[in-house]
PDB file of all heavy atoms in Angstrom:
ATOM      1  N   ILE A  93       1.942 -13.830  -4.913  1.00 95.00           N
ATOM      2  CA  ILE A  93       3.436 -13.946  -4.835  1.00 95.00           C
ATOM      3  C   ILE A  93       4.104 -12.909  -5.720  1.00 95.00           C
ATOM      4  O   ILE A  93       4.988 -12.173  -5.288  1.00 95.00           O
ATOM      5  CB  ILE A  93       3.910 -15.353  -5.187  1.00 95.00           C
ATOM      6  CG1 ILE A  93       3.349 -16.360  -4.156  1.00 95.00           C
ATOM      7  CG2 ILE A  93       5.426 -15.416  -5.247  1.00 95.00           C
ATOM      8  CD1 ILE A  93       3.543 -17.794  -4.543  1.00 95.00           C
ATOM      9  N   ALA A  94       3.673 -12.788  -6.986  1.00 95.00           N
ATOM     10  CA  ALA A  94       4.304 -11.869  -7.924  1.00 95.00           C
ATOM     11  C   ALA A  94       4.105 -10.395  -7.457  1.00 95.00           C
ATOM     12  O   ALA A  94       4.999  -9.584  -7.607  1.00 95.00           O
ATOM     13  CB  ALA A  94       3.753 -12.052  -9.337  1.00 95.00           C
ATOM     14  N   VAL A  96       3.661  -9.369  -4.288  1.00 96.00           N
ATOM     15  CA  VAL A  96       4.515  -9.167  -3.135  1.00 96.00           C
ATOM     16  C   VAL A  96       5.961  -8.914  -3.598  1.00 96.00           C
ATOM     17  O   VAL A  96       6.620  -7.985  -3.128  1.00 96.00           O
ATOM     18  CB  VAL A  96       4.462 -10.391  -2.163  1.00 96.00           C
ATOM     19  CG1 VAL A  96       5.545 -10.282  -1.059  1.00 96.00           C
ATOM     20  CG2 VAL A  96       3.091 -10.491  -1.550  1.00 96.00           C
ATOM     21  N   GLU A  97       6.398  -9.757  -4.504  1.00 96.00           N
ATOM     22  CA  GLU A  97       7.756  -9.579  -5.017  1.00 96.00           C
ATOM     23  C   GLU A  97       7.953  -8.203  -5.673  1.00 96.00           C
ATOM     24  O   GLU A  97       8.948  -7.521  -5.432  1.00 96.00           O
ATOM     25  CB  GLU A  97       8.045 -10.701  -6.041  1.00 96.00           C
ATOM     26  CG  GLU A  97       9.498 -10.726  -6.518  1.00 96.00           C
ATOM     27  CD  GLU A  97       9.791 -11.945  -7.331  1.00 96.00           C
ATOM     28  OE1 GLU A  97       8.890 -12.440  -8.081  1.00 96.00           O
ATOM     29  OE2 GLU A  97      10.916 -12.433  -7.255  1.00 96.00           O
ATOM     30  N   LEU A 100       8.102  -5.493  -2.991  1.00 96.00           N
ATOM     31  CA  LEU A 100       9.389  -5.568  -2.243  1.00 96.00           C
ATOM     32  C   LEU A 100      10.561  -5.024  -3.060  1.00 96.00           C
ATOM     33  O   LEU A 100      11.428  -4.355  -2.525  1.00 96.00           O
ATOM     34  CB  LEU A 100       9.676  -6.995  -1.783  1.00 96.00           C
ATOM     35  CG  LEU A 100       8.732  -7.556  -0.694  1.00 96.00           C
ATOM     36  CD1 LEU A 100       9.055  -9.030  -0.451  1.00 96.00           C
ATOM     37  CD2 LEU A 100       8.831  -6.745   0.604  1.00 96.00           C
ATOM     38  N   PRO A 120       4.700 -20.239   2.346  1.00 97.00           N
ATOM     39  CA  PRO A 120       6.164 -20.352   2.537  1.00 97.00           C
ATOM     40  C   PRO A 120       6.978 -19.571   1.492  1.00 97.00           C
ATOM     41  O   PRO A 120       8.027 -19.048   1.814  1.00 97.00           O
ATOM     42  CB  PRO A 120       6.454 -21.820   2.444  1.00 97.00           C
ATOM     43  CG  PRO A 120       5.184 -22.511   2.150  1.00 97.00           C
ATOM     44  CD  PRO A 120       4.051 -21.521   2.139  1.00 97.00           C
ATOM     45  N   GLN A 121       6.495 -19.500   0.265  1.00 97.00           N
ATOM     46  CA  GLN A 121       7.245 -18.714  -0.760  1.00 97.00           C
ATOM     47  C   GLN A 121       7.243 -17.232  -0.434  1.00 97.00           C
ATOM     48  O   GLN A 121       8.282 -16.581  -0.575  1.00 97.00           O
ATOM     49  CB  GLN A 121       6.594 -18.926  -2.172  1.00 97.00           C
ATOM     50  CG  GLN A 121       6.856 -20.296  -2.759  1.00 97.00           C
ATOM     51  CD  GLN A 121       6.119 -20.414  -4.085  1.00 97.00           C
ATOM     52  OE1 GLN A 121       4.932 -20.572  -4.135  1.00 97.00           O
ATOM     53  NE2 GLN A 121       6.885 -20.290  -5.141  1.00 97.00           N
ATOM     54  N   ILE A 122       6.126 -16.752  -0.002  1.00 97.00           N
ATOM     55  CA  ILE A 122       6.046 -15.310   0.340  1.00 97.00           C
ATOM     56  C   ILE A 122       6.851 -15.062   1.598  1.00 97.00           C
ATOM     57  O   ILE A 122       7.555 -14.047   1.724  1.00 97.00           O
ATOM     58  CB  ILE A 122       4.562 -14.864   0.513  1.00 97.00           C
ATOM     59  CG1 ILE A 122       3.858 -14.918  -0.834  1.00 97.00           C
ATOM     60  CG2 ILE A 122       4.492 -13.498   1.122  1.00 97.00           C
ATOM     61  CD1 ILE A 122       2.369 -14.613  -0.791  1.00 97.00           C
ATOM     62  N   LYS A 123       6.782 -15.972   2.541  1.00 97.00           N
ATOM     63  CA  LYS A 123       7.558 -15.839   3.809  1.00 97.00           C
ATOM     64  C   LYS A 123       9.043 -15.716   3.486  1.00 97.00           C
ATOM     65  O   LYS A 123       9.752 -14.932   4.091  1.00 97.00           O
ATOM     66  CB  LYS A 123       7.276 -16.993   4.746  1.00 97.00           C
ATOM     67  CG  LYS A 123       7.735 -16.699   6.191  1.00 97.00           C
ATOM     68  CD  LYS A 123       7.040 -17.586   7.180  1.00 97.00           C
ATOM     69  CE  LYS A 123       5.838 -16.881   7.633  1.00 97.00           C
ATOM     70  NZ  LYS A 123       5.330 -17.006   8.938  1.00 97.00           N
ATOM     71  N   ALA A 124       9.510 -16.539   2.529  1.00 97.00           N
ATOM     72  CA  ALA A 124      10.927 -16.496   2.128  1.00 97.00           C
ATOM     73  C   ALA A 124      11.283 -15.121   1.484  1.00 97.00           C
ATOM     74  O   ALA A 124      12.339 -14.573   1.755  1.00 97.00           O
ATOM     75  CB  ALA A 124      11.236 -17.632   1.148  1.00 97.00           C
ATOM     76  N   LEU A 125      10.358 -14.586   0.676  1.00 97.00           N
ATOM     77  CA  LEU A 125      10.591 -13.259   0.088  1.00 97.00           C
ATOM     78  C   LEU A 125      10.690 -12.199   1.195  1.00 97.00           C
ATOM     79  O   LEU A 125      11.588 -11.318   1.151  1.00 97.00           O
ATOM     80  CB  LEU A 125       9.434 -12.888  -0.867  1.00 97.00           C
ATOM     81  CG  LEU A 125       9.357 -13.628  -2.176  1.00 97.00           C
ATOM     82  CD1 LEU A 125       8.070 -13.300  -2.915  1.00 97.00           C
ATOM     83  CD2 LEU A 125      10.566 -13.241  -3.071  1.00 97.00           C
ATOM     84  N   LEU A 126       9.805 -12.263   2.143  1.00 97.00           N
ATOM     85  CA  LEU A 126       9.791 -11.257   3.233  1.00 97.00           C
ATOM     86  C   LEU A 126      11.051 -11.408   4.088  1.00 97.00           C
ATOM     87  O   LEU A 126      11.641 -10.408   4.512  1.00 97.00           O
ATOM     88  CB  LEU A 126       8.556 -11.433   4.096  1.00 97.00           C
ATOM     89  CG  LEU A 126       7.226 -11.089   3.431  1.00 97.00           C
ATOM     90  CD1 LEU A 126       6.054 -11.565   4.265  1.00 97.00           C
ATOM     91  CD2 LEU A 126       7.126  -9.611   3.154  1.00 97.00           C
ATOM     92  N   LYS A 127      11.466 -12.652   4.346  1.00 96.00           N
ATOM     93  CA  LYS A 127      12.720 -12.871   5.137  1.00 96.00           C
ATOM     94  C   LYS A 127      13.942 -12.321   4.484  1.00 96.00           C
ATOM     95  O   LYS A 127      14.849 -11.809   5.104  1.00 96.00           O
ATOM     96  CB  LYS A 127      12.908 -14.352   5.391  1.00 96.00           C
ATOM     97  CG  LYS A 127      12.316 -14.859   6.657  1.00 96.00           C
ATOM     98  CD  LYS A 127      12.707 -16.317   6.866  1.00 96.00           C
ATOM     99  CE  LYS A 127      12.397 -16.705   8.276  1.00 96.00           C
ATOM    100  NZ  LYS A 127      12.763 -18.081   8.530  1.00 96.00           N
ATOM    101  N   SER A 128      13.963 -12.395   3.115  1.00 96.00           N
ATOM    102  CA  SER A 128      15.125 -11.961   2.382  1.00 96.00           C
ATOM    103  C   SER A 128      15.165 -10.455   2.164  1.00 96.00           C
ATOM    104  O   SER A 128      16.204  -9.903   1.747  1.00 96.00           O
ATOM    105  CB  SER A 128      15.220 -12.658   1.024  1.00 96.00           C
ATOM    106  OG  SER A 128      14.172 -12.237   0.169  1.00 96.00           O
ATOM    107  N   TYR A 129      14.090  -9.740   2.458  1.00 95.00           N
ATOM    108  CA  TYR A 129      14.046  -8.283   2.260  1.00 95.00           C
ATOM    109  C   TYR A 129      14.906  -7.603   3.282  1.00 95.00           C
ATOM    110  O   TYR A 129      14.876  -7.889   4.472  1.00 95.00           O
ATOM    111  CB  TYR A 129      12.594  -7.792   2.381  1.00 95.00           C
ATOM    112  CG  TYR A 129      12.501  -6.291   2.113  1.00 95.00           C
ATOM    113  CD1 TYR A 129      12.483  -5.810   0.828  1.00 95.00           C
ATOM    114  CD2 TYR A 129      12.451  -5.392   3.158  1.00 95.00           C
ATOM    115  CE1 TYR A 129      12.387  -4.445   0.563  1.00 95.00           C
ATOM    116  CE2 TYR A 129      12.353  -4.048   2.929  1.00 95.00           C
ATOM    117  CZ  TYR A 129      12.352  -3.561   1.629  1.00 95.00           C
ATOM    118  OH  TYR A 129      12.269  -2.225   1.396  1.00 95.00           O
ATOM    119  N   LYS A 130      15.726  -6.687   2.814  1.00 89.00           N
ATOM    120  CA  LYS A 130      16.597  -5.910   3.677  1.00 89.00           C
ATOM    121  C   LYS A 130      15.978  -4.543   3.909  1.00 89.00           C
ATOM    122  O   LYS A 130      15.846  -3.737   2.976  1.00 89.00           O
ATOM    123  CB  LYS A 130      17.983  -5.725   3.054  1.00 89.00           C
ATOM    124  CG  LYS A 130      18.682  -7.018   2.702  1.00 89.00           C
ATOM    125  CD  LYS A 130      19.110  -7.773   3.937  1.00 89.00           C
ATOM    126  CE  LYS A 130      19.861  -9.026   3.567  1.00 89.00           C
ATOM    127  NZ  LYS A 130      19.436 -10.196   4.233  1.00 89.00           N
TER     128      LYS A 130
END
Side-chain angles (χ1 to χ4, degrees):
I93 297 169
V96 170
E97 186 171 34
L100 291 174
Q121 287 178 284
I122 293 175
K123 196 159 268 214
L125 288 171
L126 293 167
K127 268 187 165 179
S128 68
Y129 183 79
K130 304 290 184 227

